DNA sequence: GCAATAGTGTCTTTCAGACACTATATC
DNA sequence: GATATAGTGTCTGAAAGACACTATTGC
C-alpha cells in the first residue's frame, strides 16, 4: 500500500516529491480517456427478447446505440439524450449496468463506456423504428442458461446473425444476466408491458427473458404475492374464447425498483 | 429517437450535416471528463465490518482510497495500482460496483469515478496500516436493514464519526448493499478469512456484514450445502475448551464468484 | 465431574413445482 | 354443447428457522 491516493488526487508516496495541491487545474495534468455511454434497450417481440440496434454506416455492421458524455452532463442524461427520450420515451426504465474500460475495446482510442440497459414495451418503440431505416430490433440469442453469464448474439428480422461491434456482445450478455437476476425480486417485467395487461402476457415476458417455460399456477401465485399488481376489474377485448382480466401496477409496484 | 449515435460516434440526425467519419482524431473533438477509480476495501475487525480510509492532507477529512486512471490502463489495474497490490495484496478479491458521474460530485471539476470494492482478511492489511499513519480502518455504520440501500457512515477507532469526502458515503453504502446481496449465493465471506478457519468465524463474518444474528444450525447447513467448503481434518489451536475443526475452500468455492 | 463451546437431530412452517380440476367466454 | 383459454385447489418435496440435544476438550 505504498501508492495511495486520497480523494482522487494521486500521490506517489514512494517519491520524495511533495503531494500535488488539490487545485482544479491539476485535473488537466493527466491524459484523459473518452467517456461514452452505450445502451441496451430491450423489449419483447412475439414472445422473444429483442434489442434495439443501429446500423454503422461505414462497415454496414450493427452496434448498440451509444454516444459520448458531455462535459457537464450526468451519465443517465447522456443515455436519455442518445435515445432522445424527451420526444419519444419519457419515463423509460433505465439502470446502470457496468463500465467497460479495457484499453483495446475501441480501435479508435481509449474509450471507457458506461453501459446502461433500458426496458420499453414494443408499442413505445414502433414510431422511432418507423422513422429510421438504420434502426432495427433483433432478437437476443443467449447460449447460456440461468445466470451463468457470457456474451449474447443477435438475430435480425431477415434471419441474419451478424456479430456486434466492439465488445457489444459482452454488454448485451451482461444486460440479459442482470435482467434475469432482477426478475424475481423487482417488478421489471412490468416495464415491458402496457399499463394494463393480462397475467398471461406478464408470464410470456418472464419466459422470454429467462428462456424457459414456467408453470402457470406457480407464476400467478408468486407474482400476485409480491404485491406489485392489482386487478382492474376490466377484461381484455373479447377474443375467440374467455377473455382474461387486466391487471395494473400498484403503488408498491411503482416503488420496488430495488 | 432523433439523436442517435452508432458505435460511440455521435450523430445529430436532426441536422443536415453528414455523419462524422470514424477516425481516431475525432475523439479529441470533445471535452473529456477525468476518470478515476475509488475503492471500498472491506475487512472484519472484532466481528464488525470495517473499511480502509485515507486521511486527506488539506482538511484533515477522510476519504476512500482512489486515483486517476492512466490512459492505457485497465480499470481494475488502476485499482490495484492505487492499492499497490503487487507488493502487499496479490490475489485481492476485487469487483466493480458502480460508476458515479454526477457533474457536481467533485468540486474540482468533472470527475467520473468507477467504484470498486475489495475484500481482504485483517491480517493482510496489518502491515500496510503499520506503515502509514494516514491510513485507518473505520467500522462501517449502516442505518438501514437488509438490502434497502442508502449511504453509510464510519466510526474511527477513537470513536469519532467524521463525514466522508465527496459522495463516498454513497459509495460505501452501495458496497455494503452489494455485499449483503452476494453473501447467499457467492462465497464472498471466505475472502475475509484466512485459508483455514472454523465455521464459527465464517458465521461471525456473515453476521458482521448482514448486521443480524444468525442461527448456528441453519447457518452450518446452508454454507455446507453450497459446496464451497471442505473439512481439513485439522483443529484450531487448543483453547480453553473443545477446539473447532478447520475448513478450507473447495475447488467449487474458487470458481463460484458469480 | 464441570464449564463452555462444537456440532447434530428433529419438528414445524413456508414456499416452489406439478398436476388436476373448475370457470367462462365465443361459436 | 364444443372448444379453448382463464383461473384455482391441493399434494408433495425442498429448504429455512427454532429448539433441544449430544459430543468433546481443558481443567
Amino acid at each position: 500500500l505504498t501508492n495511495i491516493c486520497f480523494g482522487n488526487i494521486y500521490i506517489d508516496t514512494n517519491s520524495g516529491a511533495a503531494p500535488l495541491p488539490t487545485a482544479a487545474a491539476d485535473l488537466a495534468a493527466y491524459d484523459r480517456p473518452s467517456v461514452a455511454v452505450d445502451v441496451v434497450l430491450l423489449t419483447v417481440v412475439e414472445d422473444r427478447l429483442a434489442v434495439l440496434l443501429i446500423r454503422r454506416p461505414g462497415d454496414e455492421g450493427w452496434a448498440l446505440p451509444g454516444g459520448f458524455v458531455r462535459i457537464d452532463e450526468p451519465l443517465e442524461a447522456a443515455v436519455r439524450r442518445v435515445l432522445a427520450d424527451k420526444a419519444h420515451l419519457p419515463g423509460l426504465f433505465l439502470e446502470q449496468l457496468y463500465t467497460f474500460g479495457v484499453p483495446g475495446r475501441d480501435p479508435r482510442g481509449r474509450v471507457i463506456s458506461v453501459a446502461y440497459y433500458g426496458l420499453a414495451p414494443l408499442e413505445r418503440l414502433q414510431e422511432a423504428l418507423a422513422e429510421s431505416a438504420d434502426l432495427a430490433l433483433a432478437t437476443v440469442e443467449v447460449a447460456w442458461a440461468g445466470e451463468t453469464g457470457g456474451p449474447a448474439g443477435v438475430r435480425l428480422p431477415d434471419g441474419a446473425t451478424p456479430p456486434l461491434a466492439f465488445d457489444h456482445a459482452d454488454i448485451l450478455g451482461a444486460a440479459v444476466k442482470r435482467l434475469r437476476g432482477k426478475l424475481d425480486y423487482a417488478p421489471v417485467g412490468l416495464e415491458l408491458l402496457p399499463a394494463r395487461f393480462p397475467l398471461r402476457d406478464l408470464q410470456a415476458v418472464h419466459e422470454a427473458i429467462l428462456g424457459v417455460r414456467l408453470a402457470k399456477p406457480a407464476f400467478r401465485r408468486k407474482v400476485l404475492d409480491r404485491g406489485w399488481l392489482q386487478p382492474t376489474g376490466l377484461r381484455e377485448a373479447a377474443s375467440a374464447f374467455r377473455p382474461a382480466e387486466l391487471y395494473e401496477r400498484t403503488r408498491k409496484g411503482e416503488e420496488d425498483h430495488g
Side-chain angles (χ1 to χ4, degrees), chain A:
Chain A
L1 283 173
T2 56
N3 255 332
I4 286 290
C5 308
F6 52 95
N8 290 334
I9 291 295
Y10 176 77
I11 294 182
D12 186 354
T13 55
N14 288 325
S15 81
L20 296 171
T22 61
D26 287 326
L27 298 186
Y30 303 90
D31 270 348
R32 298 183 206 156
S34 300
V35 179
V37 289
D38 285 308
V39 56
V40 181
L41 186 55
L42 295 169
T43 191
V44 172
V45 181
E46 290 170 5
D47 293 346
R48 288 172 182 273
L49 193 62
V51 61
L52 181 71
L53 298 180
I54 183 160
R55 194 192 305 271
R56 303 178 67 220
D59 58 6
E60 296 286 306
W62 294 87
L64 299 173
F68 289 104
V69 177
R70 293 180 179 167
I71 193 65
D72 270 319
E73 181 180 48
L75 295 171
E76 191 173 311
V79 177
R80 293 192 187 276
R81 173 175 53 77
V82 164
L83 294 174
D85 68 303
K86 289 170 190 70
H88 298 86
L89 294 168
L92 174 73
F93 175 90
L94 211 55
E95 185 176 279
Q96 190 183 304
L97 191 57
Y98 196 80
T99 297
F100 295 80
V102 177
R105 61 177 290 278
D106 190 319
R108 296 164 300 171
R110 181 72 196 277
V111 179
I112 291 172
S113 178
V114 184
Y116 279 73
Y117 75 101
L119 302 175
L122 180 57
E123 307 89 79
R124 307 266 311 264
L125 303 178
Q126 295 286 26
E127 186 185 350
L129 283 165
E131 273 180 16
S132 171
D134 287 331
L135 295 179
L137 282 179
T139 56
V140 179
E141 312 244 307
V142 178
W144 35 273
E147 294 179 50
T148 315
V154 295
R155 180 181 299 273
L156 291 169
D158 64 10
T161 58
L164 290 177
F166 311 122
D167 53 0
H168 288 187
D170 293 321
I171 299 177
L172 178 57
V176 175
K177 182 182 176 184
R178 172 78 65 90
L179 192 53
R180 285 183 177 179
K182 285 204 86 162
L183 213 47
D184 262 357
Y185 68 93
V188 286
L190 307 186
E191 305 293 343
L192 294 166
L193 292 170
R196 290 174 176 151
F197 53 88
L199 290 187
R200 165 192 13 96
D201 287 4
L202 183 59
Q203 182 173 345
V205 163
H206 280 234
E207 290 173 341
I209 292 170
L210 297 174
V212 295
R213 299 282 298 172
L214 299 173
K216 184 172 61 169
F219 178 80
R220 294 177 65 96
R221 256 183 324 190
K222 182 159 63 181
V223 82
L224 290 175
D225 284 351
R226 292 284 181 274
W228 300 325
L229 302 179
Q230 61 193 8
T232 61
L234 302 172
R235 306 254 145 191
E236 62 184 341
S239 64
F241 303 102
R242 175 182 177 180
E245 176 153 24
L246 297 178
Y247 284 75
E248 66 188 0
R249 201 188 274 260
T250 60
R251 189 83 186 162
K252 179 174 163 64
E254 302 280 352
E255 295 157 3
D256 286 9
H257 270 188

